[in-house]
Amino acid sequence: MAAEISRMRQEPDYARTISRIISVLRADKTLEGMVNEWREGDLPERHRAVALPAVYAALAPRPQAVRMSIGSADTPSDLPAQQIGTDYHIVALAGGATALEAQTLAYSIHRRILLVIGSNLQLRDGEGGDPLCGTMEMNSVPRMGAQVGTVLEGITLIVRAYNYRVGPTIAPPEPAPDV
């Protein structure tokens, strides 16, 4: 339990959170069967999808969306606790013979992503432990970039993960060892 609390009470680990988002999504058998390509860490608008449909998870271009103090510090040498909201993009891309086929598939994948992420708002691992954030909120927007290659449709889910950083206390120096 102490490890769970400590991960939620620190600065966000961007790469670990992106990896966890992908692993949570891939653990869903329905979604795994719907998606051909998974990618993490790149902005998908800058890269071509090799096998459609595809899902990408990436850090937003300006990830630190919210950072505000919540409460006061215990002593002058402490930093106050902070709420840190970090934005990640989860993009579902789909192609098809017609725009209707592509749109239907992209929105089907998007709906399933909402269900999977919505049931794991703390981004816990497969065993239900090791949460990476306190909570999340989600917002969907049409694909945020020019369509590239054979992609006909895409939708972006912006996930804001909240971490609560507790200010470090300056620890007293370790006593000198007895010699």
Side-chain angles (χ1 to χ4, degrees):
M1 182 69 172
E4 290 182 12
I5 292 171
S6 66
R7 285 209 197 275
M8 289 190 300
R9 294 185 176 194
Q10 62 186 4
E11 293 286 328
D13 183 345
Y14 303 139
R16 185 180 173 105
T17 303
I18 290 169
S19 293
R20 179 68 58 85
I21 288 170
I22 291 295
S23 68
V24 164
L25 294 175
R26 291 190 83 163
D28 182 67
K29 298 300 178 203
T30 303
L31 195 54
E32 179 69 23
M34 297 171 80
V35 176
N36 290 329
E37 182 182 352
W38 299 89
R39 185 180 294 170
E40 59 185 67
D42 295 327
L43 285 175
E45 285 77 16
R46 297 184 185 152
H47 300 277
R48 294 180 185 269
V50 176
L52 294 176
V55 172
Y56 299 92
L59 190 61
R62 292 191 176 106
Q64 292 274 325
V66 175
R67 183 181 281 265
M68 64 180 179
S69 295
I70 49 174
S72 58
D74 294 334
T75 68
S77 63
D78 292 343
L79 295 173
Q82 291 183 327
Q83 179 187 43
I84 304 167
T86 307
D87 288 351
Y88 301 90
H89 292 180
I90 303 172
V91 182
L93 304 172
T98 67
L100 178 61
E101 279 181 28
Q103 186 175 38
T104 302
L105 182 56
Y107 278 82
S108 295
I109 293 169
H110 174 73
R111 275 192 305 275
R112 190 65 191 185
I113 290 171
L114 281 171
L115 287 171
V116 172
I117 293 293
S119 66
N120 190 352
L121 291 176
Q122 291 185 325
L123 289 177
R124 293 180 177 269
D125 63 13
E127 288 81 43
D130 190 28
L132 295 186
C133 61
T135 190
M136 290 191 298
E137 60 185 36
M138 297 174 277
N139 186 27
S140 301
V141 295
R143 186 153 179 243
M144 301 189 327
Q147 294 182 352
V148 179
T150 61
V151 175
L152 295 177
E153 190 62 52
I155 185 165
T156 301
L157 176 65
I158 300 173
V159 175
R160 181 169 293 166
Y162 288 99
N163 289 68
Y164 302 96
R165 187 183 62 68
V166 176
T169 301
I170 297 175
E174 294 285 327
D178 293 331
V179 185

